[in-house]
Amino acid sequence: MITRLTPQDAAFYRLESSSNPIHIGSLAIVRDTDDEPPLNYDRLVDLVESRLALVPRYRRKVREIPLGLGRPVWVEDSRFDITYHIRRSALPSPGTDGQLHELVARLASRPLDQSRPLWEMYLIEGLSDGRSAVFTKTHSALVDGDSALEIGHVILDTSPSPRELADDAWVAPREPNEMELLVGALGHLAAQPREAIDVVRGAGADAFAMVAAAGRAVDSVVSAVRAATASAPDSPLNAKTSRSRRFDVVRTDLEDYRTIRKRFDCSINDAILAVVTGALRNWLLSRDEALTEQTTLRAVVPMSVYVEDLEGEQAKPAGEVSSFLLDLPVGESNPVIRLSHIKHATEANSKQRRGVRARTLVHLAGFAPASLHAMSVRAASTFAEHMFNLVITNAPGPQAPMYIGGARMLEMYPVSPLLRNQASSIGITSYDGHVFYGLNADRDAMADIDVLAASVHESMEEMLGACA
């Protein structure tokens, strides 16, 4: 089967560089249960192989059109080898969390092999306390959050016993040759004259500009504030990125955000952003940055997707996801005033922004947030790079225990990519009563990422103190 990449898919595919791999990562910490056999490499391979029919793009690779006459296409990989994509690593037992984070940083630094389907999965063994980890990375071009989902959606189960699916009778097909691709592209352009003109005009276009063009060409994430031309404030968060990364995590309790929500009549999302703002403030102060009451950092907040019931029992994804620019008041010393600024800004944006449908995500059993994080990165890339300082992705996960191959998932951390000249990204996911932060950063520009991680806890204590 041959399908043409959408304009936005193609833009993301071409956006990647050696110092900016554009893949979405997800780190799940798991522990075996007594009810099922241990999660080992063979069991993980069997599980993923049995679910690939639910994510058919994971068997397809990208092929360029000869002479650049049209967008690339997805084709079935005739030499697909699942053991190439699912890999095994081990820490020196008992492996520490710090060693795990260093390994994830190294894995996240490596671009995917563009001659094969654009994903990898690692079973990481040897963690302390009988734990292991599953790290997945998927190219942003592969996941659109609707027709093409991230593989984390399909390997998760709601019980220790993996659900049974019908046998997949997939057989590797013959790949088209260069002439067949060229003839197909010419036929497509003949039927789409406007696209043919765009192909001619777009020859040699800058990849980042292509993303913005793609965002206009499709029904993508759009915000009313996109018309703004003001540049983001100067910040150490904006720097040329290297090829290496650092990664750190923060684990917090969802109940604390519910306390803030109840006390100040805001949303869970507002409470999370207020904690992030306080953490960024503390981090800037640790660097001796000069802050005034008017100092802000501008974040792309691609989503505000929490639909909360009044009892606070469950946070669910909304029917639409959306994006906007938000000035975080890092210069404000009072945490209550910081939250008030954020609350009013998100309320104002909620009345103006347009959303992208996410029906597939909302109604999918065993909902996993990785696809929403992938859509977040797409949303952020529709803004010019000078307009924001960092990207904060926030996606709800299931609030009941989930399992991978019989092993219970204890924690789940997003690993969002760094866009051009962005030294750090913050991915946030709620799951099973907790809110998990994944902090991905450039190794050179953000050597103190651990300070930012510690600052999240300090900011939370400050907010809870204000509640009292």
Side-chain angles (χ1 to χ4, degrees), residues 41 45 48-49 52 58-61 76-87 113 115-121 170 172 175:
Y41 178 79
V45 169
V48 175
E49 196 163 31
L52 281 178
Y58 278 70
R59 285 197 183 108
R60 298 172 187 166
K61 64 182 182 181
E76 302 281 345
D77 184 6
S78 62
R79 56 172 183 157
F80 180 78
D81 177 5
I82 195 169
T83 60
Y84 176 85
H85 295 276
I86 303 180
R87 306 174 182 187
D113 182 353
S115 69
R116 295 177 180 267
L118 297 171
W119 66 280
E120 294 172 0
M121 181 179 293
W170 183 83
E175 290 186 29

Side-chain angles (χ1 to χ4, degrees), residues 86-261:
I86 303 180
R87 306 174 182 187
R88 187 177 188 177
S89 297
L91 300 173
S93 184
T96 66
D97 289 348
Q99 290 171 327
L100 173 64
H101 302 157
E102 178 65 22
L103 176 59
V104 168
R106 293 182 183 276
L107 296 176
S109 301
R110 302 172 186 170
L112 293 161
D113 182 353
Q114 295 195 343
S115 69
R116 295 177 180 267
L118 297 171
W119 66 280
E120 294 172 0
M121 181 179 293
Y122 294 81
L123 176 63
I124 304 171
E125 301 169 308
L127 274 171
S128 60
D129 300 324
R131 300 170 301 155
S132 55
V134 177
F135 174 62
T136 305
K137 62 184 196 181
T138 299
H139 201 289
S140 296
L142 192 152
V143 181
D144 63 18
D146 188 7
S147 60
L149 303 175
E150 201 269 343
I151 200 167
H153 278 93
V154 299
I155 66 171
L156 284 174
D157 291 295
T158 57
S159 73
S161 299
R163 63 190 187 276
E164 297 291 335
L165 300 178
D167 290 339
D168 180 14
W170 183 83
V171 177
R174 182 186 70 84
E175 290 186 29
N177 59 38
E178 297 287 285
M179 183 57 68
E180 290 171 326
L181 291 177
L182 181 59
V183 170
L186 292 174
H188 176 77
L189 293 177
Q192 303 288 335
R194 289 186 179 180
E195 187 170 326
I197 295 173
D198 290 339
V199 167
V200 175
R201 289 177 176 174
D206 177 75
F208 202 91
M210 290 173 59
V211 174
R216 293 190 299 269
V218 299
D219 185 16
S220 183
V221 182
V222 181
S223 170
V225 298
R226 183 169 176 191
T229 58
S231 296
D234 291 335
S235 165
L237 289 168
N238 300 112
K240 185 176 181 180
T241 52
S242 67
R243 296 187 178 188
S244 300
R245 300 289 179 263
R246 295 182 188 273
F247 182 69
D248 209 337
V249 306
V250 182
R251 172 175 171 157
T252 59
D253 292 328
L254 181 58
E255 192 59 38
D256 289 339
Y257 299 94
R258 290 172 175 159
T259 298
I260 298 169
R261 176 190 64 179

